[in-house]
Amino acid sequence: MSETTDVLFEEKGHAGLIILNRPKALNALTHEMCVAMHRQLERWLIDDAVHHVLIKSNSEKAFCAGGDIRQVAENGPEKIDVSLPFFADEYRLNTYMESYAKPLIALLDGIVMGGGVGISVHGAYRVGSEKTMFAMPETAIGFFPDVGGSHFLPKMPQNTGMYCAMTGERLRQADCYWTGILTHAVKSEDMAALAEALCEAQDVEPVLARYAFDPGPAPLHAKADVVDECFGAESTLEVVDRLRKLQGSEHDDFAVAALETIGKRSPLSMEVAFQQVRRGAGLSMAECMVMEHRIVSQILLGEDFYEGVRAVIIDKDHAPKWQHSSLDEIKTVDVEAHFMSPKGGDLVF
């Protein structure tokens, strides 16, 4: 696999710099980018001159808006052997970053979704600004919140991770800080100076503390009790039932919005995501990624992902025709197929 200019590497002061450099595509990750980052992190791990690693973006709008799933969808189920290696290498990178022995610091000054979450949230420090916008919207395209979603989403307080997995809710700076997605909140105007200071520092924590501030009350925190009540249910059908029972109450707006969103999502993806988050709570990062590799291996053989990408990304009619019309139609065997070892074998690190 050839080197790519879509991600740049630099050593400055005591830091290694990973610079996402695909601004026109909002830094959507390609296979080549994932492989290049993994290789560079391996080199820096044994380089005593590099004390820590910064990951940042050359885009004014985004840190990273996800993976390059359009190409995967265009491959179709006939070329699953071409698509699966991308996910395997991406998941290996996510796992490697979660256990990396040197501090990883992601500067999230913009959109961070999907694959962008995978190369940031597992590191030691996640620094976000008022421009930060986090989301895991995969169920809208018949996919699932991968790249370690099964590992970090269960750790978010009061079932807000399950809420984000099922609805794709967009979180801003204060919400991200309260839920633990961010470790530090800073001002966007200070990001460049922070990056410079981190490069010069041997100890990053005093530098981060100097620039950090309290982003204030989190809107998600204000409705966390009702989120917990509904999305802490034992099944997707019970989630829906609890939301319906809130209609006409003081939480009517929340319930109606959540039900509307869930009603538009792929029912099969919704069931898979629910099980993924529930099961991931008891697994290590590596175990989660083996599970997610099993899921994607099955997803790529199905129909909803390709239909979702067509409806949302290619034709943009936002009228997908899902394989199942409702959650009631989903059979246990359809869901469990996503958690079985694929024919090609499980992910090997």
Side-chain angles (χ1 to χ4, degrees), residues 22 24-25 27-31 65-79 82-83 86-87 90 115 138 141 143 300 305-317:
R22 203 180 175 212
K24 290 183 179 179
N27 292 326
L29 297 178
T30 64
H31 193 175
D68 195 352
I69 57 170
R70 180 171 183 147
Q71 181 59 57
V72 174
E74 289 175 350
N75 288 340
E78 300 80 15
K79 293 184 178 180
V82 175
S83 299
F86 163 56
F87 290 101
E90 183 180 24
E138 290 81 2
I141 56 165
F143 205 60
L300 294 180
F305 168 65
Y306 304 102
E307 173 62 8
V309 173
R310 180 207 64 76
V312 176
I313 297 175
I314 298 176
D315 295 341
K316 298 182 180 179
D317 59 25

Side-chain angles (χ1 to χ4, degrees), residues 122-143:
H122 304 299
Y125 304 102
R126 290 89 59 191
V127 184
S129 75
E130 68 275 12
K131 291 167 58 179
T132 299
M133 193 281 286
F134 161 95
M136 295 294 281
E138 290 81 2
T139 56
I141 56 165
F143 205 60

Side-chain angles (χ1 to χ4, degrees), residues 117-169:
V117 177
I119 59 169
S120 59
V121 77
H122 304 299
Y125 304 102
R126 290 89 59 191
V127 184
S129 75
E130 68 275 12
K131 291 167 58 179
T132 299
M133 193 281 286
F134 161 95
M136 295 294 281
E138 290 81 2
T139 56
I141 56 165
F143 205 60
F144 70 106
D146 65 336
V147 296
S150 49
H151 186 65
F152 78 85
L153 289 169
K155 293 178 170 60
M156 291 168 62
Q158 294 183 263
N159 282 294
T160 52
M162 182 66 82
Y163 171 60
C164 288
M166 292 184 68
T167 67
E169 178 76 345

Side-chain angles (χ1 to χ4, degrees), residues 201-244:
Q202 294 194 46
D203 184 358
V204 300
E205 290 200 356
V207 176
L208 290 169
R210 188 163 75 244
Y211 283 89
F213 73 101
D214 185 344
L220 186 58
H221 186 203
K223 59 184 179 183
D225 288 344
V226 68
V227 168
D228 196 26
E229 177 186 344
C230 295
F231 289 85
E234 294 297 315
S235 69
T236 57
L237 290 175
E238 189 178 347
V239 170
V240 170
D241 184 59
R242 292 184 183 186
L243 287 168
R244 285 175 177 161

Side-chain angles (χ1 to χ4, degrees), residues 38 42 87-99 122 147-148 150-151 283-294 345-349:
H38 199 153
E42 288 178 329
F87 290 101
D89 283 329
E90 183 180 24
Y91 295 174
R92 289 187 184 104
L93 172 63
N94 301 148
T95 308
Y96 188 65
M97 296 177 89
E98 193 269 344
S99 61
H122 304 299
V147 296
S150 49
H151 186 65
L283 302 177
S284 68
M285 177 65 177
E287 290 169 335
C288 281
M289 299 318 295
V290 169
M291 177 177 69
E292 292 186 14
H293 181 258
R294 292 179 178 183
D346 279 324
L347 182 66
V348 177
F349 298 100

